[in-house]
Coordinates of all heavy atoms in Angstrom, one line a residue:
M806 N 0.8 -1.2 0.0 CA 0.0 0.0 0.0 C 0.9 1.2 0.0 O 1.9 1.3 0.6 CB -0.9 0.0 1.2 CG -1.9 -1.1 1.3 SD -3.2 -0.7 0.3 CE -4.6 -0.4 1.3
S807 N 0.4 2.2 -0.7 CA 1.2 3.4 -0.8 C 1.0 4.4 0.3 O 1.7 5.4 0.4 CB 0.9 4.2 -2.2 OG -0.5 4.6 -2.1
G808 N 0.0 4.2 1.2 CA -0.3 5.1 2.3 C -1.1 6.3 1.9 O -1.4 7.1 2.8
R809 N -1.6 6.3 0.7 CA -2.4 7.5 0.3 C -3.9 7.2 0.8 O -4.3 6.1 0.8 CB -2.4 7.6 -1.2 CG -1.2 8.1 -1.8 CD -1.3 8.4 -3.2 NE -0.1 8.9 -3.7 CZ 0.1 9.3 -5.0 NH1 -0.9 9.1 -5.9 NH2 1.2 9.8 -5.4
T810 N -4.5 8.3 1.1 CA -5.9 8.2 1.5 C -6.8 8.7 0.3 O -6.3 9.5 -0.6 CB -6.2 9.1 2.7 OG1 -5.9 10.4 2.4 CG2 -5.4 8.6 3.9
R811 N -8.0 8.3 0.3 CA -8.8 8.7 -0.8 C -9.6 10.0 -0.5 O -10.3 10.5 -1.4 CB -9.8 7.6 -1.2 CG -9.1 6.4 -1.7 CD -10.1 5.4 -2.2 NE -9.3 4.2 -2.7 CZ -9.4 3.8 -3.9 NH1 -10.2 4.3 -4.8 NH2 -8.7 2.8 -4.3
A812 N -9.5 10.5 0.7 CA -10.2 11.7 1.0 C -9.5 12.9 0.4 O -8.3 13.0 0.4 CB -10.2 11.9 2.5
R813 N -10.3 13.8 -0.3 CA -9.7 14.9 -0.9 C -9.4 16.0 0.1 O -10.3 16.2 1.0 CB -10.6 15.4 -2.0 CG -10.8 14.4 -3.1 CD -11.3 15.0 -4.3 NE -10.1 15.4 -5.1 CZ -10.2 15.8 -6.3 NH1 -11.3 16.0 -6.9 NH2 -9.1 16.1 -6.9
A814 N -8.4 16.8 -0.1 CA -8.1 17.9 0.8 C -9.0 19.0 0.5 O -9.3 19.3 -0.7 CB -6.7 18.3 0.7
C815 N -9.5 19.7 1.5 CA -10.4 20.8 1.3 C -9.5 22.1 1.2 O -8.7 22.3 2.1 CB -11.3 20.9 2.5 SG -12.4 22.3 2.5
P816 N -9.7 22.9 0.2 CA -8.8 24.1 0.1 C -9.1 25.1 1.2 O -10.3 25.3 1.5 CB -9.2 24.7 -1.3 CG -10.3 23.9 -1.8 CD -10.6 22.7 -1.0
E817 N -8.1 25.7 1.7 CA -8.2 26.6 2.8 C -7.7 28.0 2.3 O -6.8 28.1 1.5 CB -7.4 26.2 4.0 CG -8.0 25.1 4.7 CD -7.3 24.8 6.1 OE1 -6.1 25.3 6.2 OE2 -7.8 24.2 6.9
R818 N -8.3 29.0 2.8 CA -7.9 30.4 2.6 C -7.9 31.2 3.9 O -8.5 30.7 4.9 CB -8.9 31.1 1.6 CG -9.1 30.4 0.3 CD -7.8 30.6 -0.6 NE -8.0 30.0 -1.9 CZ -7.6 28.8 -2.3 NH1 -7.0 28.0 -1.4 NH2 -7.7 28.4 -3.5
T819 N -7.3 32.3 3.9 CA -7.2 33.2 5.1 C -8.1 34.4 5.0 O -8.1 35.0 4.0 CB -5.8 33.6 5.4 OG1 -4.9 32.5 5.5 CG2 -5.6 34.4 6.6
C820 N -8.9 34.6 6.0 CA -9.8 35.8 6.0 C -9.0 37.0 6.2 O -8.1 37.1 7.1 CB -10.8 35.6 7.2 SG -11.8 37.1 7.5
V821 N -9.2 38.0 5.4 CA -8.4 39.2 5.5 C -8.8 40.1 6.7 O -8.1 41.0 7.1 CB -8.4 40.1 4.2 CG1 -7.8 39.3 3.0 CG2 -9.8 40.5 3.8
G822 N -9.9 39.8 7.3 CA -10.4 40.5 8.4 C -9.8 40.0 9.7 O -9.1 40.7 10.4
C823 N -10.1 38.8 10.1 CA -9.7 38.2 11.3 C -8.4 37.4 11.2 O -7.9 37.0 12.2 CB -10.8 37.3 11.9 SG -11.2 35.8 11.0
R824 N -7.9 37.2 10.0 CA -6.7 36.4 9.7 C -6.7 35.0 10.2 O -5.7 34.3 10.4 CB -5.5 37.1 10.4 CG -5.2 38.6 10.0 CD -4.9 38.8 8.6 NE -3.6 38.1 8.3 CZ -3.2 37.8 7.1 NH1 -4.0 38.0 6.1 NH2 -2.1 37.2 6.9
Q825 N -7.9 34.4 10.3 CA -8.1 33.0 10.6 C -8.2 32.2 9.3 O -8.8 32.6 8.3 CB -9.4 32.8 11.4 CG -9.4 33.4 12.8 CD -8.4 32.8 13.7 OE1 -8.2 31.6 13.8 NE2 -7.6 33.6 14.4
R826 N -7.6 31.0 9.3 CA -7.8 30.1 8.1 C -9.1 29.4 8.2 O -9.5 28.9 9.3 CB -6.6 29.1 8.1 CG -5.3 29.9 7.8 CD -4.2 28.9 7.5 NE -4.3 28.1 6.4 CZ -4.1 28.4 5.1 NH1 -3.7 29.6 4.8 NH2 -4.3 27.5 4.1
A827 N -9.7 29.2 7.1 CA -11.0 28.5 7.0 C -11.2 27.9 5.7 O -10.4 28.2 4.7 CB -12.2 29.5 7.3
A828 N -12.1 27.0 5.6 CA -12.4 26.3 4.3 C -12.8 27.4 3.3 O -13.5 28.3 3.6 CB -13.5 25.3 4.5
K829 N -12.4 27.2 2.1 CA -12.7 28.1 1.0 C -14.2 28.3 0.9 O -14.7 29.4 0.6 CB -12.1 27.6 -0.3 CG -12.3 28.5 -1.5 CD -11.6 28.0 -2.7 CE -11.9 28.8 -3.9 NZ -11.2 28.2 -5.1
A830 N -15.0 27.2 1.1 CA -16.5 27.3 1.0 C -17.1 28.2 2.0 O -18.2 28.7 1.9 CB -17.0 25.9 1.0
D831 N -16.4 28.3 3.2 CA -17.0 29.1 4.3 C -16.7 30.6 4.2 O -17.2 31.4 5.0 CB -16.4 28.6 5.6 CG -16.9 27.2 5.9 OD1 -17.9 26.8 5.3 OD2 -16.2 26.5 6.7
L832 N -15.8 31.0 3.2 CA -15.4 32.4 3.0 C -16.1 33.0 1.8 O -16.5 32.3 0.9 CB -13.9 32.5 3.0 CG -13.1 32.0 4.2 CD1 -11.7 32.0 3.9 CD2 -13.5 32.9 5.3
L833 N -16.2 34.3 1.7 CA -16.7 35.0 0.6 C -15.5 35.6 -0.2 O -14.7 36.4 0.4 CB -17.6 36.2 1.1 CG -18.2 37.1 0.0 CD1 -19.1 36.3 -0.9 CD2 -18.9 38.2 0.7
R834 N -15.5 35.3 -1.5 CA -14.4 35.9 -2.3 C -14.8 37.3 -2.8 O -16.0 37.5 -3.1 CB -14.2 35.0 -3.6 CG -13.1 35.5 -4.5 CD -12.9 34.5 -5.6 NE -11.7 34.9 -6.4 CZ -11.7 35.5 -7.5 NH1 -12.9 35.8 -8.1 NH2 -10.6 35.8 -8.2
T835 N -13.9 38.2 -2.8 CA -14.1 39.6 -3.2 C -13.1 39.9 -4.3 O -12.0 39.4 -4.3 CB -14.0 40.6 -2.1 OG1 -12.7 40.5 -1.5 CG2 -15.0 40.2 -1.0
V836 N -13.5 40.8 -5.2 CA -12.6 41.2 -6.2 C -12.7 42.7 -6.4 O -13.7 43.3 -6.0 CB -12.8 40.5 -7.6 CG1 -12.5 39.1 -7.5 CG2 -14.2 40.8 -8.1
A837 N -11.7 43.3 -7.0 CA -11.8 44.8 -7.2 C -12.3 45.0 -8.6 O -11.7 44.4 -9.6 CB -10.4 45.4 -7.1
E838 N -13.3 45.9 -8.8 CA -13.8 46.3 -10.1 C -13.7 47.8 -10.1 O -14.6 48.4 -9.5 CB -15.2 45.8 -10.3 CG -15.3 44.3 -10.7 CD -16.7 43.9 -11.1 OE1 -17.7 44.7 -10.8 OE2 -16.9 42.9 -11.7
G839 N -12.7 48.3 -10.7 CA -12.6 49.8 -10.7 C -12.2 50.3 -9.3 O -11.2 49.8 -8.7
E840 N -13.0 51.1 -8.8 CA -12.8 51.7 -7.4 C -13.6 51.0 -6.4 O -13.7 51.5 -5.2 CB -13.1 53.2 -7.4 CG -12.3 54.0 -8.3 CD -10.8 54.1 -7.9 OE1 -10.6 54.2 -6.7 OE2 -9.9 53.9 -8.7
Q841 N -14.2 49.8 -6.7 CA -15.1 49.1 -5.8 C -14.6 47.7 -5.5 O -14.0 47.1 -6.3 CB -16.5 49.0 -6.3 CG -17.3 50.2 -6.4 CD -18.8 49.9 -6.8 OE1 -19.0 48.9 -7.4 NE2 -19.7 50.8 -6.5
C842 N -14.9 47.3 -4.3 CA -14.6 45.9 -3.8 C -16.0 45.2 -3.9 O -16.9 45.6 -3.1 CB -14.0 45.9 -2.4 SG -13.5 44.3 -1.9
V843 N -16.1 44.3 -4.8 CA -17.5 43.6 -5.0 C -17.4 42.2 -4.6 O -16.4 41.5 -4.7 CB -18.0 43.8 -6.4 CG1 -18.2 45.3 -6.8 CG2 -17.0 43.2 -7.4
P844 N -18.5 41.6 -4.1 CA -18.6 40.2 -3.7 C -18.6 39.3 -5.0 O -19.1 39.7 -6.0 CB -19.9 40.1 -2.9 CG -20.7 41.2 -3.4 CD -19.8 42.3 -3.8
D845 N -18.0 38.2 -4.8 CA -18.0 37.2 -5.9 C -18.4 35.8 -5.3 O -17.5 35.0 -5.1 CB -16.6 37.1 -6.5 CG -16.5 36.2 -7.7 OD1 -17.5 35.8 -8.2 OD2 -15.4 35.8 -8.0
P846 N -19.6 35.7 -4.9 CA -20.0 34.4 -4.2 C -19.8 33.2 -5.0 O -19.6 32.1 -4.5 CB -21.5 34.6 -3.9 CG -22.0 35.8 -4.8 CD -20.8 36.6 -5.1
R847 N -19.9 33.2 -6.4 CA -19.7 32.0 -7.2 C -18.2 31.8 -7.5 O -17.8 30.8 -8.0 CB -20.5 32.1 -8.5 CG -22.0 32.1 -8.2 CD -22.8 32.0 -9.5 NE -22.3 32.9 -10.5 CZ -22.7 32.7 -11.8 NH1 -23.5 31.8 -12.1 NH2 -22.2 33.5 -12.7
G848 N -17.4 32.8 -7.3 CA -15.9 32.6 -7.5 C -15.6 32.6 -9.0 O -14.6 32.0 -9.4
T849 N -16.3 33.3 -9.8 CA -16.1 33.3 -11.3 C -15.6 34.6 -11.9 O -15.3 34.6 -13.1 CB -17.4 32.9 -12.0 OG1 -18.4 33.8 -11.7 CG2 -17.8 31.5 -11.6
L850 N -15.6 35.7 -11.1 CA -15.2 37.0 -11.6 C -13.7 36.9 -11.9 O -12.9 36.3 -11.1 CB -15.5 38.1 -10.7 CG -17.0 38.4 -10.6 CD1 -17.2 39.5 -9.5 CD2 -17.6 38.8 -11.9
P851 N -13.2 37.6 -12.9 CA -11.8 37.6 -13.2 C -11.0 38.5 -12.3 O -11.6 39.5 -11.7 CB -11.7 38.1 -14.7 CG -12.9 39.0 -14.8 CD -14.0 38.3 -14.0
G852 N -9.8 38.2 -12.1 CA -8.9 39.1 -11.3 C -8.5 38.4 -10.0 O -9.0 37.3 -9.6
R853 N -7.7 39.1 -9.3 CA -7.2 38.7 -8.0 C -8.3 38.7 -7.0 O -9.0 39.7 -6.9 CB -6.0 39.6 -7.6 CG -5.3 39.1 -6.4 CD -4.0 39.9 -6.2 NE -3.3 39.4 -5.0 CZ -2.5 38.4 -5.1 NH1 -2.3 37.8 -6.3 NH2 -1.8 37.9 -4.0
G854 N -8.4 37.7 -6.1 CA -9.4 37.7 -5.1 C -8.9 37.8 -3.7 O -7.7 37.4 -3.4
A855 N -9.7 38.3 -2.8 CA -9.4 38.3 -1.4 C -10.6 37.6 -0.7 O -11.7 37.8 -1.1 CB -9.2 39.7 -0.9
Y856 N -10.4 36.9 0.4 CA -11.4 36.2 1.1 C -11.7 36.8 2.4 O -10.8 37.2 3.2 CB -11.0 34.7 1.2 CG -11.0 34.0 -0.1 CD1 -9.9 34.1 -0.9 CD2 -12.1 33.3 -0.6 CE1 -9.8 33.4 -2.2 CE2 -12.0 32.7 -1.8 CZ -10.9 32.7 -2.6 OH -10.9 32.1 -3.8
V857 N -13.0 36.8 2.8 CA -13.4 37.3 4.1 C -14.6 36.5 4.6 O -15.4 36.0 3.7 CB -13.8 38.9 4.0 CG1 -15.0 39.1 3.1 CG2 -14.0 39.5 5.3
H858 N -14.7 36.3 5.9 CA -15.9 35.7 6.4 C -17.1 36.5 6.1 O -17.1 37.8 6.2 CB -15.8 35.5 7.9 CG -14.9 34.4 8.3 ND1 -13.7 34.6 8.9 CD2 -15.0 33.0 8.2 CE1 -13.1 33.4 9.2 NE2 -13.9 32.5 8.8
P859 N -18.3 36.0 5.8 CA -19.5 36.8 5.5 C -20.1 37.2 6.8 O -21.2 36.9 7.1 CB -20.4 35.8 4.7 CG -19.9 34.5 5.1 CD -18.5 34.5 5.4
D860 N -19.3 38.0 7.6 CA -19.7 38.4 8.9 C -19.4 39.9 9.0 O -18.3 40.3 8.6 CB -18.9 37.6 9.9 CG -19.2 38.1 11.3 OD1 -20.3 38.6 11.6 OD2 -18.3 37.8 12.2
P861 N -20.3 40.7 9.4 CA -20.0 42.2 9.5 C -18.8 42.5 10.4 O -18.1 43.5 10.1 CB -21.3 42.8 10.2 CG -22.3 41.8 9.8 CD -21.7 40.5 9.8
L862 N -18.5 41.7 11.4 CA -17.3 42.0 12.3 C -16.0 41.8 11.5 O -15.1 42.6 11.6 CB -17.3 41.1 13.5 CG -18.5 41.4 14.5 CD1 -18.5 40.4 15.6 CD2 -18.4 42.8 15.0
C863 N -15.9 40.7 10.7 CA -14.7 40.5 9.9 C -14.6 41.6 8.8 O -13.5 42.0 8.6 CB -14.7 39.1 9.3 SG -14.3 37.8 10.4
L864 N -15.7 42.0 8.2 CA -15.7 43.0 7.2 C -15.2 44.3 7.8 O -14.3 45.0 7.2 CB -17.0 43.1 6.6 CG -17.1 44.2 5.5 CD1 -16.2 43.9 4.4 CD2 -18.6 44.3 5.0
D865 N -15.7 44.7 9.0 CA -15.2 45.9 9.6 C -13.7 45.9 10.0 O -13.0 46.9 9.8 CB -16.0 46.2 10.9 CG -17.5 46.5 10.6 OD1 -17.8 47.0 9.5 OD2 -18.3 46.4 11.5
Q866 N -13.3 44.7 10.4 CA -11.8 44.6 10.7 C -11.0 44.7 9.5 O -10.0 45.4 9.5 CB -11.5 43.2 11.3 CG -11.8 43.1 12.8 CD -11.4 41.8 13.3 OE1 -11.5 40.8 12.7 NE2 -10.9 41.8 14.6
A867 N -11.4 44.2 8.4 CA -10.7 44.3 7.1 C -10.7 45.7 6.6 O -9.6 46.2 6.2 CB -11.3 43.3 6.1
V868 N -11.8 46.4 6.8 CA -11.8 47.8 6.3 C -10.9 48.6 7.2 O -10.1 49.5 6.8 CB -13.2 48.4 6.3 CG1 -13.3 49.8 6.1 CG2 -14.1 47.6 5.2
R869 N -11.0 48.4 8.5 CA -10.2 49.2 9.5 C -8.7 49.0 9.3 O -7.9 49.9 9.3 CB -10.6 48.8 10.9 CG -9.9 49.7 12.0 CD -10.5 49.4 13.4 NE -10.6 48.0 13.7 CZ -11.8 47.4 13.9 NH1 -12.9 48.0 13.7 NH2 -11.8 46.1 14.2
R870 N -8.3 47.7 8.9 CA -6.9 47.4 8.7 C -6.4 47.7 7.3 O -5.3 47.5 6.9 CB -6.7 45.9 8.9 CG -6.8 45.5 10.3 CD -6.7 44.0 10.6 NE -5.4 43.5 10.0 CZ -5.4 42.6 9.0 NH1 -6.4 42.0 8.5 NH2 -4.2 42.2 8.6
R871 N -7.3 48.2 6.4 CA -7.0 48.5 5.0 C -6.5 47.3 4.3 O -5.5 47.3 3.5 CB -6.0 49.6 4.9 CG -6.6 51.0 5.4 CD -5.5 52.1 5.2 NE -6.0 53.3 5.9 CZ -5.6 53.7 7.1 NH1 -4.7 53.0 7.7 NH2 -6.0 54.8 7.5
A872 N -7.1 46.1 4.6 CA -6.7 44.9 4.1 C -7.1 44.6 2.6 O -6.3 43.9 1.9 CB -7.2 43.7 4.9
F873 N -8.2 45.1 2.2 CA -8.6 44.9 0.8 C -7.7 45.5 -0.3 O -7.3 44.7 -1.2 CB -10.1 45.3 0.6 CG -11.1 44.5 1.3 CD1 -11.9 45.0 2.3 CD2 -11.2 43.1 0.9 CE1 -12.8 44.2 2.9 CE2 -12.2 42.3 1.5 CZ -13.0 42.8 2.5
P874 N -7.3 46.7 -0.2 CA -6.4 47.2 -1.2 C -5.1 46.5 -1.2 O -4.5 46.2 -2.3 CB -6.2 48.7 -0.8 CG -7.4 49.0 0.0 CD -7.8 47.8 0.7
R875 N -4.6 46.1 0.0 CA -3.3 45.4 0.1 C -3.5 44.0 -0.5 O -2.6 43.5 -1.3 CB -2.9 45.3 1.5 CG -1.5 44.7 1.7 CD -1.1 44.7 3.2 NE -1.5 45.8 4.0 CZ -2.4 45.7 5.0 NH1 -2.8 44.6 5.4 NH2 -2.7 46.8 5.7
A876 N -4.5 43.3 -0.2 CA -4.7 41.9 -0.7 C -5.0 41.9 -2.2 O -4.5 40.9 -2.9 CB -5.8 41.2 0.1
L877 N -5.7 42.9 -2.7 CA -6.1 42.9 -4.1 C -5.0 43.6 -4.9 O -5.2 43.7 -6.1 CB -7.4 43.5 -4.3 CG -8.6 42.8 -3.5 CD1 -9.9 43.5 -3.6 CD2 -8.8 41.4 -4.2
R878 N -4.0 44.1 -4.3 CA -2.9 44.8 -4.9 C -3.4 46.0 -5.8 O -3.1 46.1 -7.0 CB -2.1 43.8 -5.7 CG -1.4 42.8 -4.8 CD -0.5 41.9 -5.6 NE 0.1 40.9 -4.7 CZ 0.7 39.9 -5.1 NH1 0.9 39.7 -6.4 NH2 1.2 39.0 -4.3
V879 N -4.2 46.9 -5.2 CA -4.6 48.1 -5.9 C -4.1 49.3 -5.1 O -4.0 49.2 -3.9 CB -6.1 48.1 -6.1 CG1 -6.6 47.0 -7.0 CG2 -6.8 48.1 -4.8
Q880 N -3.9 50.4 -5.8 CA -3.5 51.6 -5.1 C -4.7 52.4 -4.6 O -5.8 52.4 -5.2 CB -2.8 52.5 -6.1 CG -1.5 51.9 -6.6 CD -0.4 51.8 -5.5 OE1 -0.3 52.6 -4.6 NE2 0.3 50.6 -5.4
G881 N -4.6 53.1 -3.5 CA -5.7 53.9 -3.0 C -6.7 53.1 -2.2 O -6.4 52.0 -1.7
T882 N -7.9 53.7 -2.0 CA -8.9 53.0 -1.2 C -10.0 52.4 -2.1 O -10.1 52.8 -3.3 CB -9.6 54.0 -0.3 OG1 -10.2 55.0 -1.1 CG2 -8.6 54.6 0.7
L883 N -10.7 51.4 -1.6 CA -11.8 50.8 -2.3 C -13.1 51.0 -1.6 O -13.2 51.0 -0.4 CB -11.5 49.3 -2.4 CG -10.4 48.8 -3.3 CD1 -10.1 47.3 -3.2 CD2 -10.7 49.1 -4.8
D884 N -14.1 51.2 -2.4 CA -15.5 51.4 -1.9 C -16.0 50.0 -1.6 O -16.1 49.2 -2.5 CB -16.4 52.1 -2.9 CG -17.8 52.3 -2.4 OD1 -18.0 52.3 -1.2 OD2 -18.7 52.5 -3.3
V885 N -16.4 49.8 -0.3 CA -16.9 48.5 0.1 C -18.4 48.4 0.3 O -18.9 47.5 0.9 CB -16.2 47.9 1.3 CG1 -14.7 47.7 1.0 CG2 -16.3 48.9 2.5
N886 N -19.2 49.4 -0.1 CA -20.6 49.5 0.1 C -21.3 48.3 -0.5 O -22.2 47.7 0.2 CB -21.2 50.8 -0.4 CG -20.7 52.0 0.5 OD1 -20.5 51.8 1.7 ND2 -20.6 53.1 -0.1
A887 N -21.0 47.9 -1.7 CA -21.7 46.7 -2.3 C -21.4 45.5 -1.5 O -22.2 44.6 -1.3 CB -21.2 46.6 -3.8
L888 N -20.1 45.3 -1.0 CA -19.7 44.2 -0.2 C -20.5 44.2 1.1 O -21.0 43.2 1.6 CB -18.2 44.2 0.0 CG -17.6 43.0 0.8 CD1 -17.9 41.7 0.1 CD2 -16.1 43.2 0.9
R889 N -20.6 45.3 1.7 CA -21.3 45.5 3.0 C -22.8 45.1 2.9 O -23.3 44.4 3.7 CB -21.1 46.9 3.5 CG -21.6 47.1 5.0 CD -21.3 48.4 5.5 NE -19.9 48.8 5.4 CZ -19.0 48.4 6.3 NH1 -19.3 47.6 7.3 NH2 -17.7 48.8 6.2
R890 N -23.4 45.6 1.8 CA -24.8 45.2 1.5 C -25.0 43.7 1.4 O -25.9 43.1 1.9 CB -25.4 46.0 0.3 CG -25.7 47.4 0.6 CD -26.5 48.0 -0.6 NE -25.8 47.9 -1.9 CZ -24.9 48.8 -2.4 NH1 -24.6 49.8 -1.6 NH2 -24.4 48.6 -3.5
H891 N -24.1 43.1 0.6 CA -24.1 41.6 0.4 C -24.0 40.9 1.8 O -24.7 39.9 2.1 CB -23.1 41.2 -0.5 CG -23.1 39.7 -0.8 ND1 -24.0 39.2 -1.7 CD2 -22.3 38.7 -0.3 CE1 -23.7 37.8 -1.7 NE2 -22.8 37.6 -0.9
V892 N -23.0 41.3 2.6 CA -22.8 40.6 3.9 C -24.0 40.8 4.8 O -24.4 39.9 5.5 CB -21.5 41.1 4.5 CG1 -21.4 40.7 5.9 CG2 -20.3 40.7 3.7
E893 N -24.5 42.0 4.9 CA -25.7 42.3 5.7 C -26.9 41.5 5.3 O -27.7 41.0 6.1 CB -26.0 43.7 5.8 CG -24.9 44.5 6.6 CD -25.1 46.0 6.5 OE1 -26.0 46.5 5.7 OE2 -24.4 46.7 7.2
R894 N -27.1 41.3 4.0 CA -28.2 40.6 3.4 C -28.1 39.1 3.7 O -29.0 38.5 4.1 CB -28.3 40.7 1.9 CG -29.5 40.2 1.3 CD -29.6 40.6 -0.2 NE -28.5 41.4 -0.7 CZ -27.8 41.1 -1.8 NH1 -28.2 40.1 -2.6 NH2 -26.8 41.9 -2.2
T895 N -26.9 38.5 3.6 CA -26.7 37.1 3.9 C -26.7 36.9 5.4 O -27.0 35.8 5.9 CB -25.4 36.6 3.3 OG1 -24.2 37.3 3.8 CG2 -25.4 36.6 1.8
D896 N -26.3 37.9 6.2 CA -26.3 37.7 7.7 C -27.7 37.7 8.3 O -27.9 37.0 9.2 CB -25.4 38.9 8.3 CG -25.2 38.6 9.8 OD1 -24.8 37.5 10.1 OD2 -25.3 39.6 10.6
S897 N -28.6 38.4 7.6 CA -29.9 38.5 8.2 C -30.8 37.3 7.8 O -31.8 37.1 8.4 CB -30.6 39.8 7.6 OG -30.8 39.7 6.2
C898 N -30.3 36.4 6.9 CA -31.1 35.3 6.5 C -31.1 34.2 7.5 O -30.3 33.9 8.3 CB -30.6 34.7 5.2 SG -30.8 35.8 3.8

């Protein structure tokens, strides 16, 4: 026997807000579109992505730490209003 297991590894990503590692499926991917940081729940938008827990506290931490422009490698600040609306909508469900 080769010692290999048949279980597939679950991809992990780090939340830019709380800096905790979590399963990719548990995090929300965000991308920069122009001057905005927009949610990408299906993970299909082009460009570099940053991951955050779909939780207002993690989102606030990421904004306070200026983590989105750094993670997405863009200059200046990003408008996160669309991302905030998405997180609040999914949080209330």
Side-chain angles (χ1 to χ4, degrees):
M806 296 281 248
S807 66
R809 290 187 175 180
T810 62
R811 293 188 182 237
R813 298 198 90 170
C815 179
E817 288 188 342
R818 301 291 183 263
T819 302
C820 173
V821 295
C823 65
R824 304 293 298 158
Q825 296 292 317
R826 291 189 62 83
K829 183 179 174 181
D831 295 338
L832 298 172
L833 174 65
R834 182 176 188 258
T835 62
V836 295
E838 282 188 348
E840 298 292 317
Q841 288 189 338
C842 187
V843 296
D845 182 18
R847 295 188 317 163
T849 58
L850 292 176
R853 187 172 184 83
Y856 291 85
V857 66
H858 284 109
D860 178 25
L862 295 175
C863 281
L864 180 61
D865 290 339
Q866 279 184 322
V868 170
R869 188 172 46 248
R870 293 178 52 240
R871 297 181 185 101
F873 287 115
R875 188 177 323 116
L877 298 172
R878 296 183 183 169
V879 296
Q880 296 294 320
T882 60
L883 291 172
D884 180 22
V885 294
N886 288 330
L888 181 59
R889 189 173 305 278
R890 283 192 302 271
H891 181 81
V892 167
E893 289 171 355
R894 189 172 2 133
T895 57
D896 190 44
S897 65
C898 292

